[in-house]
Amino acid sequence: MVQERGPDTVDINVNMGPQHPSTHGVFRMVLTIDGERVIDVEPHIGYMHRGAEKLSENMDYRAAIGYQDRTDYLAQFLTEQAYCMAVEKLLELEVPERSEYIRVILCELNRVTSHLMFLGAFGIDLGYFGTSFTYGFRERERLQDIFEEVTGERMMYGYFRPGGLAWDVPDNFVQMIRDVLPHTRQGLKDLDMLMTQNEIVAARTKGIGAMNLEDSINWGLSGPMLRAAGSDWDLRKDKPYSIYDRFDYDIPVGSHGDVFDRYLVRLEEAYQSLRIVEQALDQLPDGPIMPEKMPRRLRGPDAEVYAAVEGPRGEYGIYIVSKGGDKAYRLKIRAPSFCNLAALRDMTVGNYVADAVAILGSIDIVLCDVDR
Amino acid sequence: MIGIFKSMYITFATMLRKPVTIEYPAKHRDVPQRDRAFPILLWDKDVDEPFCTGCHACERACPVECMTVTMKDNPLHADGKSDRRKIVDEFWIDYGRCMRCNICVEVCNFEAIAMNNTWAGHELSTFDRNDLVLDLQQLLAQHKQGKIDEWVAE
Ligand code: SF4
Ligand code: SF4
């Protein structure tokens, strides 16, 4: 007698990437799917590995700055800031006031450009087909132009130096930024209007890829990923570095830890960064940009230092082991993208394939930062 | 539904704004004065020789080791026309490897090298990558012809 039986189902492996528009770089995921549901994810990284840490160990402290830019290429000023802070700690250099202010202004604007990039690319992941992307890029370009006026480069600035800055900003620096800020605000508002209340976006993001606070902490998440889950951990407030204790700003915190909250946290963070920039512009003092007693060659003592900044993706840290000489003996980068990416499997399993794209987008990875 | 209409509204409102893009190959926007394309050598018009003395400082400081410099005795110094005892003999920069970090400009004590701040320094595509290795004459050409208004930070 033939037994009544439903059709057999098998799990299928689907390869996504390395060249896939939604992976934000060269990243490969092998999804195991049961129908439309993801039951396992295996991420493959390393396609962009260039050995940035090892390369930085082979050159002196000034020459290595160029390689920090090339790790997190959407937040170059922040990577330079972390690196310079580590070297300054090592050599006990005092950064002049003016340099600190200029650094904060540029870092915060850089955070805005990074978040604009995220908001634009996130829209693509959800199916906006470029609308949000062009909005984000339009505003990012204006800020990029300022960076170019100041440093001479559009992407790899190489502008911060251990101890201060490479050269002073142009005379119209303050005015230039004040002129652009309203455009940036308007651009953020455009993106806000476009996405926040849109029912389709809500359906695609609310409750997707949620991770509770405990898991987030256990996975070592940081930055907007962690704050979306409900923690207000922010290095700028909790471990104040540079001059961040002089400004008045809020740390946006989410409650569900899902994709939508991560989007909201980043959007609000961009507004808060603009607030910091405005205050810093008001207070910008005159003065030198390099310390008075600057050694001609930077030589470190026998020591180990760690310095971290709150990057747009989370805690970006540089650990330097020095054994004397003008090079780092060992340099380790704590890359926020890498640590945040580690939680991908936990967030994705159980969701649909299309949501995997949204979840990956919400982590906001930079593959050069992941692979270094 | 309201959210969707809001999105539509902002999309159509943006359509009516002025475009922010320019048609690049046809039009070139102005590059800022500090623009950092690739390094070039400067020409001392008073003495009719390069500023560069071939001191190797930039070669040693370059993070990617893309420069090669050699030095020779200055013939104009022997004639008494120049106070540079040594002068550059050969100079190569591999633009294909240079990462435009500006460090060579910073370390030069003779203000002999600067970053190209014109469009000519950006549009450099060639069919053969060996064409991107520039020799002394090519590096000096632009400043010699007065095409560069160089900017060097103090
Ligand atoms: S700009 Fe930097 S990479 Fe290029 S030649 Fe000068 S020192 Fe070398
Ligand atoms: S460009 Fe300057 S640093 Fe380089 S070899 Fe010539 S004089 Fe020396």
Side-chain angles (χ1 to χ4, degrees):
Chain A
M1 202 175 88
V2 183
Q3 219 165 2
E4 282 286 321
R5 215 164 62 132
D8 276 343
T9 60
V10 282
D11 300 338
I12 304 174
N13 282 338
V14 177
N15 183 48
M16 203 168 139
Q19 274 85 27
H20 191 280
S22 72
T23 55
H24 299 245
V26 250
F27 172 64
R28 177 169 167 231
M29 299 194 275
V30 180
L31 305 171
T32 308
I33 53 171
D34 173 15
E36 272 283 298
R37 287 208 182 267
V38 178
I39 54 171
D40 198 9
V41 189
E42 203 186 322
H44 292 256
I45 62 169
Y47 293 93
M48 297 283 267
H49 178 70
R50 295 144 306 156
E53 295 173 357
K54 188 70 201 162
L55 282 168
S56 309
E57 288 161 20
N58 287 337
M59 47 194 66
D60 64 39
Y61 288 123
R62 175 171 59 184
I65 293 172
Y67 282 98
Q68 314 312 316
D69 286 330
R70 286 160 176 77
T71 58
D72 191 343
Y73 57 76
L74 291 179
Q76 307 92 329
F77 280 130
L78 288 130
T79 60
E80 285 175 27
Q81 166 86 332
Y83 177 75
C84 289
M85 270 166 50
V87 176
E88 281 150 13
K89 229 185 210 175
L90 186 68
L91 303 175
E92 290 167 4
L93 294 171
E94 187 83 31
V95 184
E97 284 274 287
R98 184 174 169 81
S99 290
E100 288 279 24
Y101 273 96
I102 294 172
R103 279 185 183 185
V104 165
I105 293 169
L106 291 174
C107 281
E108 290 309 313
L109 287 178
N110 206 181
R111 190 188 312 277
V112 178
T113 60
S114 174
H115 284 339
L116 280 169
M117 180 76 193
F118 161 78
L119 295 169
F122 184 59
I124 293 197
D125 292 339
L126 301 179
Y128 264 111
F129 290 110
T131 315
S132 62
F133 200 66
T134 43
Y135 289 8
F137 252 66
R138 185 184 65 207
E139 303 315 324
R140 185 168 172 265
E141 277 307 299
R142 294 191 218 271
L143 295 172
Q144 209 86 308
D145 283 349
I146 290 180
F147 298 156
E148 196 185 7
E149 288 280 347
V150 174
T151 67
E153 277 281 359
R154 293 186 76 73
M155 285 285 280
M156 307 306 173
Y157 309 119
Y159 179 56
F160 296 178
R161 295 280 182 274
L165 304 169
W167 50 80
D168 210 342
V169 292
D171 297 336
N172 60 347
F173 178 66
V174 174
Q175 194 51 43
M176 208 157 56
I177 294 177
R178 282 198 211 280
D179 290 345
V180 166
L181 286 184
H183 287 292
T184 312
R185 278 231 162 76
Q186 182 59 42
L188 287 170
K189 233 176 245 151
D190 285 355
L191 284 162
D192 193 1
M193 282 269 269
L194 191 66
M195 303 212 265
T196 309
Q197 286 180 11
N198 193 316
E199 283 83 357
I200 302 172
V201 172
R204 287 291 312 273
T205 57
K206 279 193 182 155
I208 304 291
M211 186 168 251
N212 61 27
L213 184 55
E214 200 191 329
D215 283 348
S216 302
I217 293 172
N218 288 344
W219 274 109
L221 303 189
S222 55
M225 294 279 291
L226 179 62
R227 289 195 283 278
S231 162
D232 66 347
W233 175 256
D234 187 313
L235 288 180
R236 291 174 293 173
K237 288 254 190 209
D238 292 305
K239 285 199 181 155
Y241 59 92
S242 189
I243 47 166
Y244 276 103
D245 46 359
R246 298 187 199 171
F247 306 114
D248 171 32
Y249 57 98
D250 303 323
I251 306 289
V253 174
S255 49
H256 309 299
D258 58 0
V259 175
F260 188 67
D261 272 13
R262 286 174 206 147
Y263 154 77
L264 278 187
V265 165
R266 290 204 174 92
L267 186 66
E268 187 51 36
E269 247 185 54
Y271 282 118
Q272 297 299 334
S273 288
L274 294 181
R275 271 180 72 193
I276 300 179
V277 170
E278 271 170 355
Q279 293 169 41
L281 284 177
D282 288 336
Q283 298 171 18
L284 182 66
D286 284 334
I289 51 161
M290 275 298 213
E292 299 241 312
K293 280 198 280 332
M294 195 61 199
R296 262 188 74 78
R297 269 192 100 69
L298 304 171
R299 295 189 160 275
D302 253 359
E304 300 183 11
V305 291
Y306 178 72
V309 298
E310 181 68 35
R313 271 156 277 284
E315 175 178 344
Y316 186 93
I318 301 271
Y319 190 88
I320 294 180
V321 180
S322 161
K323 298 236 161 135
D326 58 355
K327 296 179 180 126
Y329 174 76
R330 176 80 175 93
L331 187 140
K332 167 85 179 85
I333 302 172
R334 190 227 183 252
S337 302
F338 178 74
C339 300
N340 292 352
L341 190 61
L344 178 72
R345 188 174 178 282
D346 270 27
M347 290 187 288
T348 315
V349 168
N351 285 305
Y352 292 118
V353 176
D355 294 337
V357 173
I359 292 167
L360 185 67
S362 77
I363 305 176
D364 191 20
I365 44 169
V366 165
L367 260 300
C368 282
D369 194 21
V370 175
D371 298 340
R372 281 158 282 158
Chain B
M1 270 318 263
I2 298 168
I4 292 175
F5 280 119
K6 265 189 160 175
S7 301
M8 296 292 269
Y9 164 74
I10 197 76
T11 311
F12 284 111
T14 310
M15 239 160 76
L16 301 174
R17 289 193 204 159
K18 266 207 304 208
V20 290
T21 46
I22 56 170
E23 284 168 23
Y24 156 61
K27 270 190 222 154
H28 286 73
R29 74 188 188 94
D30 295 336
V31 286
Q33 202 199 6
R34 300 177 173 200
D35 188 52
R36 265 154 58 193
F38 288 99
I40 48 150
L41 292 175
L42 304 180
W43 183 257
D44 189 348
K45 298 206 174 62
D46 299 337
V47 200
D48 243 13
E49 64 180 11
F51 280 110
C52 175
T53 58
C55 70
H56 296 276
C58 54
E59 189 187 22
R60 274 199 300 268
C62 176
V64 292
E65 296 171 6
C66 66
M67 325 172 100
T68 311
V69 192
T70 57
M71 173 199 268
K72 68 174 178 194
D73 289 331
N74 190 357
L76 288 182
H77 182 74
D79 302 347
K81 283 184 200 143
S82 159
D83 45 11
R84 287 185 192 89
R85 209 150 348 121
K86 299 280 185 186
I87 196 121
V88 57
D89 184 23
E90 295 282 359
F91 204 119
W92 287 279
I93 301 181
D94 185 349
Y95 278 4
R97 270 172 80 177
C98 172
M99 66 181 199
R100 321 202 304 194
C101 64
N102 202 52
I103 284 176
C104 48
V105 182
E106 258 163 62
V107 295
C108 180
N109 291 319
F110 303 93
E111 302 205 355
I113 191 165
M115 297 307 256
N116 192 340
N117 57 0
T118 62
W119 269 103
H122 288 286
E123 295 169 327
L124 286 166
S125 353
T126 57
F127 282 104
D128 184 352
R129 75 166 91 149
N130 290 331
D131 294 345
L132 287 174
V133 184
L134 268 61
D135 64 17
L136 184 64
Q137 294 316 319
Q138 286 168 307
L139 289 167
L140 282 167
Q142 296 211 37
H143 192 254
K144 214 168 170 180
Q145 295 160 9
K147 286 188 190 155
I148 306 268
D149 175 20
E150 82 278 5
W151 185 84
V152 178
E154 303 92 54

